[in-house]
Amino acid sequence: MKHADNHEAFFRGLDRHRMIASIKEPKHIETALALRDRLSGVFLLTGHIGVLKGYVDLFNEHRLPVFLHLEKIGGLSTDYHGLDYLAKVIKPAGIITTKTNVAKNAKKLGLITIQRFFLVDTEGLENIAKSLCQIEPDMIELMPARIPEMIGMVKSFTSLPIITGGLLFERSQAQECLDNGANAVSSSNPELWPCADGKPGTNRIRKVV
């Protein structure tokens, strides 16, 4: 898939399916592919440079946008040359990173950029605002998801789409995040993957079938 196709496919899918599969183990790749019609994309948090292209090619073949969490992939450089190789050879839809300079370079290379932030105290909230003044990624991810009231606070100073994830064990917890304004939920629990469809503020979590 070309970068433009990846962008279009992801944001079109995000409008319909508000669940993103976070894959921490290779054994869950097949599960995500089987549920591709219910997911807007996948976050890949496993693998190394030797197997990475094979994984990404597989997701691209099934037209399921894949995002690489750069701090979780072994052997991959996150300097400009490493990101250039990633964009031109590996060809994911985009990347996830906690680092502002990495997000800035990835965006220049045409990759969808998702910057991950951890909310542990009020300083974390301030850091998000400061970071977004330096570079505006395409989306932000707030961790953990179990503080859904913070989503509204972040939305008060940015119009960027918000994904949230981490410490989700039940569908009701994911639903609470969506009801509080998250555009999507990411989860590494396959039981939660076939769930969230619909427009923000109107969808309900579906039962696993």
Side-chain angles (χ1 to χ4, degrees), residues 91-137:
K91 300 180 180 178
I95 59 97
I96 310 158
T97 182
T98 60
K99 301 176 181 178
T100 299
N101 63 318
V102 174
K104 182 183 296 185
N105 287 331
K107 192 167 184 177
K108 289 178 181 178
L109 291 165
L111 295 166
I112 301 175
T113 57
I114 300 174
Q115 190 164 354
R116 175 177 282 188
F117 296 97
F118 294 92
L119 287 171
V120 295
D121 52 27
T122 54
E123 185 177 349
L125 194 63
E126 294 169 0
N127 288 338
I128 296 176
K130 291 178 182 177
S131 180
L132 295 181
C133 287
Q134 301 176 48
I135 170 64
E136 188 172 272

Side-chain angles (χ1 to χ4, degrees), residues 60-95:
N60 286 344
E61 178 184 342
H62 288 83
R63 304 191 69 80
L64 185 58
V66 55
F67 295 79
L68 307 180
H69 192 313
L70 299 185
E71 286 93 63
K72 302 290 186 179
I73 305 294
L76 183 64
S77 172
T78 56
D79 63 14
Y80 187 85
H81 298 293
L83 292 172
D84 187 53
Y85 174 82
L86 187 75
K88 293 178 179 177
V89 179
I90 307 298
K91 300 180 180 178
I95 59 97

Side-chain angles (χ1 to χ4, degrees), residues 23-69:
I23 298 178
K24 295 182 178 180
E25 299 179 64
K27 67 180 182 180
H28 289 150
I29 290 176
E30 290 299 326
T31 304
L33 290 174
L35 293 170
R36 63 186 178 275
D37 293 332
R38 299 187 181 186
L39 300 170
S40 55
V42 299
F43 289 171
L44 192 62
L45 289 77
T46 186
H48 54 80
I49 191 65
V51 299
L52 196 55
K53 183 167 175 55
Y55 288 163
V56 173
D57 285 349
L58 184 61
F59 286 117
N60 286 344
E61 178 184 342
H62 288 83
R63 304 191 69 80
L64 185 58
V66 55
F67 295 79
L68 307 180
H69 192 313

